[in-house]
Amino acid sequence: MKFNDLGLEPSLLKAIQEKGYSEPSPIQEKAIPVILKKKDVLASAQTGTGKTAGFTLPLLQLLSQKNSEIHRKVRALVLTPTRELAAQIYDNVKQYSTHIDIWSTVIFGGVNQKPQIATLRKGVDVLIATPGRLLDLHSQKALSLQHVEILVLDEADRMLDMGFQRDINKIMNLLPKRRQNLLFSATFSKEIKVLAQGILHQPVWVEATPENTTVEAIVQRIYKVDKARKAELIIKLIKEGNWDQVLVFTRTKHGANNLVKKMLKAEIAAAAIHGNKSQGARTKALAGFKEGSVKILVATDIAARGLDIPLLPHVINFELPNVPEDYVHRIGRTGRAGAKGEAISLVCIDEKAYLKDIEKLTGLRIPAEVKQGFEPDPNIKPEPPKQKGVRTRPRDHKRYGVSRNRNNRH
């Protein structure tokens, strides 16, 4: 199938061609015709599947079918959990709307709000926003949501995981009752289905790939190692392999910072990206990683969610996630577009239960080995459970796919 077969207008097809695309991805092929029919959609799609174009292209076409008023009002609202993802969606909207009369902008926290307010007051058709900054500017009467025709919730599962449920509810109360709703999520957890019931009207379900499957092109490997020697091992692997572009996942912001310090001391160009970093620092780190001056990007799950890094050869789990679905999301960032990818996990004795859950979810036995000189100390025993009130493994984590451990918010 070609993009020409999806019912898109010539102006959008021209923009698609200019981006170098000719054939739609599975999520685009399934979602675009349904959205063009003005149906509500509940879609399961992970980052890297082409989901952004899957909702952006039909959204732009529907908006362009009406003449814009002299003073433009927000007619489409795209909500997303992170600043990086919001910026990437905005870039896509700008590129695809090159040949149509649609104005757009993006707003998020961590930067000066004055330029954002100035742009909003000039009028826009499409607004991409993170929930917090959207509510902040709405409370200042810098924008109105009374004319929204299309609502998109992107990465809805991560928005719930980050604690945006209350903000989402507030935003829903600011929108017109009659509108088209598009909800995109990497998983169809119970919470997502409850959220969908409150927002969507007779939705069409769209699924790009079977839920929680791993990419066949990814080579997965485990190194058994003591927790105290993980940093030493990861530095050795990077230097020995002469790896130039590696995305490393840690469970906490503190862990990410510590690992970057050790890498810099070992003369490895590294940078951390997480919620405590300023927007400027995050943008600089990501730009450096993409152009090659930063070889290693160390990130928490939430900060990395939505990052579009093409042809990423290596992903390393410095620590296994305590939610097995997050493992699938992490390693799915490599092995894209037919390229080979490698996912390495450093596993200590305390993470055996996490590994068991991951292998059960994926249906795979991940090959494990020991690097010479890094043999685990047989005298080290697993750490005792944390104090009462703090769960190391969230209840019903298989069922829900989101962490309940508030002490691990990133």
Side-chain angles (χ1 to χ4, degrees):
M1 180 175 280
K2 303 290 185 182
F3 276 106
N4 306 50
D5 303 320
L6 298 179
L8 293 170
E9 294 176 350
S11 53
L12 290 171
L13 293 173
K14 183 178 179 181
I16 293 167
Q17 187 178 26
E18 288 171 353
K19 282 196 61 134
Y21 300 131
S22 59
E23 296 182 1
S25 69
I27 189 65
Q28 292 164 0
E29 185 178 325
K30 294 178 181 179
I32 289 173
V34 177
I35 297 172
L36 287 175
K37 291 178 182 177
K38 300 186 178 181
K39 301 278 189 181
D40 281 14
V41 168
L42 176 58
S44 173
Q46 297 181 21
T47 302
T49 58
K51 66 180 171 65
T52 302
F55 63 75
T56 296
L57 290 166
L59 178 153
L60 290 172
Q61 178 156 317
L62 291 173
L63 294 182
S64 67
Q65 290 171 350
K66 292 184 181 178
N67 292 326
S68 296
E69 299 179 17
I70 295 175
H71 183 75
R72 296 168 189 257
K73 298 164 183 173
V74 177
R75 297 161 56 209
L77 173 64
V78 182
L79 280 180
T80 187
T82 67
R83 296 171 277 191
E84 287 77 18
L85 184 54
Q88 288 173 17
I89 293 172
Y90 174 55
D91 287 340
N92 272 264
V93 171
K94 279 199 304 181
Q95 291 166 354
Y96 289 126
S97 61
T98 301
H99 306 293
I100 58 177
D101 184 26
I102 295 291
W103 294 5
S104 58
T105 194
V106 61
I107 59 173
F108 47 72
V111 295
N112 189 344
Q113 63 175 265
K114 289 183 179 178
Q116 296 178 354
I117 293 174
T119 302
L120 287 168
R121 284 180 175 159
K122 291 177 184 176
V124 296
D125 302 291
V126 182
L127 177 61
I128 302 99
T130 52
R133 178 53 61 95
L134 179 69
L135 288 170
D136 185 16
L137 295 189
H138 184 273
S139 70
Q140 298 179 49
K141 301 191 184 318
L143 60 92
S144 169
L145 300 176
Q146 294 179 1
H147 301 277
V148 171
E149 301 167 20
I150 305 172
L151 168 69
V152 182
L153 289 182
D154 192 23
E155 306 236 344
D157 54 336
R158 190 56 61 172
M159 277 201 269
L160 295 185
D161 195 20
M162 293 173 69
F164 284 132
Q165 176 73 70
R166 185 175 295 178
D167 286 351
I168 292 172
N169 292 341
K170 289 179 181 177
I171 293 167
M172 293 304 111
N173 291 329
L174 301 175
L175 300 172
K177 298 297 181 188
R178 296 190 63 175
R179 61 179 190 268
Q180 184 178 10
N181 303 286
L182 313 174
L183 192 153
F184 284 75
S185 174
T187 60
F188 284 158
S189 66
K190 180 181 178 181
E191 286 107 331
I192 286 297
K193 291 172 184 175
V194 170
L195 178 67
Q197 286 173 0
I199 295 174
L200 307 182
H201 176 67
Q202 297 181 342
V204 177
W205 287 48
V206 175
E207 203 163 357
T209 55
E211 191 177 354
N212 299 326
T213 57
T214 51
V215 183
E216 293 179 1
I218 302 171
V219 177
Q220 300 176 61
R221 182 179 296 121
I222 285 169
Y223 284 109
K224 295 181 178 180
V225 61
D226 293 333
K227 184 190 295 186
R229 301 198 67 192
K230 282 189 177 186
E232 185 184 351
L233 176 56
I234 197 172
I235 288 169
K236 182 178 178 68
L237 291 172
I238 290 167
K239 286 190 170 183
E240 279 187 354
N242 196 28
W243 294 340
D244 283 336
Q245 197 177 38
V246 185
L247 179 59
V248 180
F249 284 96
T250 60
R251 244 189 258 139
T252 66
K253 295 172 281 192
H254 179 69
N257 289 337
N258 279 347
L259 183 56
V260 166
K261 286 179 183 177
K262 291 174 181 177
M263 287 187 174
L264 293 175
K265 191 174 181 180
E267 299 183 341
I268 296 174
I273 181 168
H274 54 66
N276 281 1
K277 293 286 184 180
S278 69
Q279 182 59 33
R282 292 163 74 155
T283 301
K284 183 179 178 182
L286 183 58
F289 187 63
K290 286 185 174 181
E291 59 89 16
S293 61
V294 174
K295 294 182 181 296
I296 315 298
L297 190 65
V298 184
T300 56
D301 285 291
I302 288 176
R305 190 67 177 261
L307 295 184
D308 187 12
I309 305 167
L311 303 178
L312 180 64
H314 304 283
V315 168
I316 297 180
N317 293 302
F318 185 75
E319 296 153 322
L320 287 181
N322 55 0
V323 177
E325 287 86 353
D326 283 347
Y327 174 84
V328 179
H329 300 160
R330 287 181 179 187
I331 72 168
R333 298 173 183 283
T334 185
R336 292 179 179 174
K340 292 292 182 182
E342 183 177 37
I344 292 173
S345 300
L346 309 185
V347 180
C348 69
I349 194 168
D350 297 327
E351 296 170 301
K352 282 188 175 180
Y354 299 155
L355 177 58
K356 184 179 178 182
D357 287 344
I358 288 166
E359 291 184 331
K360 184 176 181 180
L361 178 75
T362 61
L364 296 172
R365 182 79 173 178
I366 305 172
E369 57 188 275
V370 174
K371 190 75 172 175
Q372 186 175 359
F374 289 86
E375 294 81 4
D377 185 344
N379 298 315
I380 293 179
K381 303 299 179 185
E383 286 187 1
K386 291 189 177 183
Q387 68 270 26
K388 186 178 179 181
V390 179
R391 288 192 294 272
T392 56
R393 292 170 62 197
R395 184 178 60 213
D396 292 341
H397 63 285
K398 294 190 192 78
R399 181 181 176 189
Y400 291 120
V402 293
S403 174
R404 290 292 178 280
N405 188 347
R406 295 183 180 272
N407 296 292
N408 276 336
R409 287 271 170 89
H410 307 313

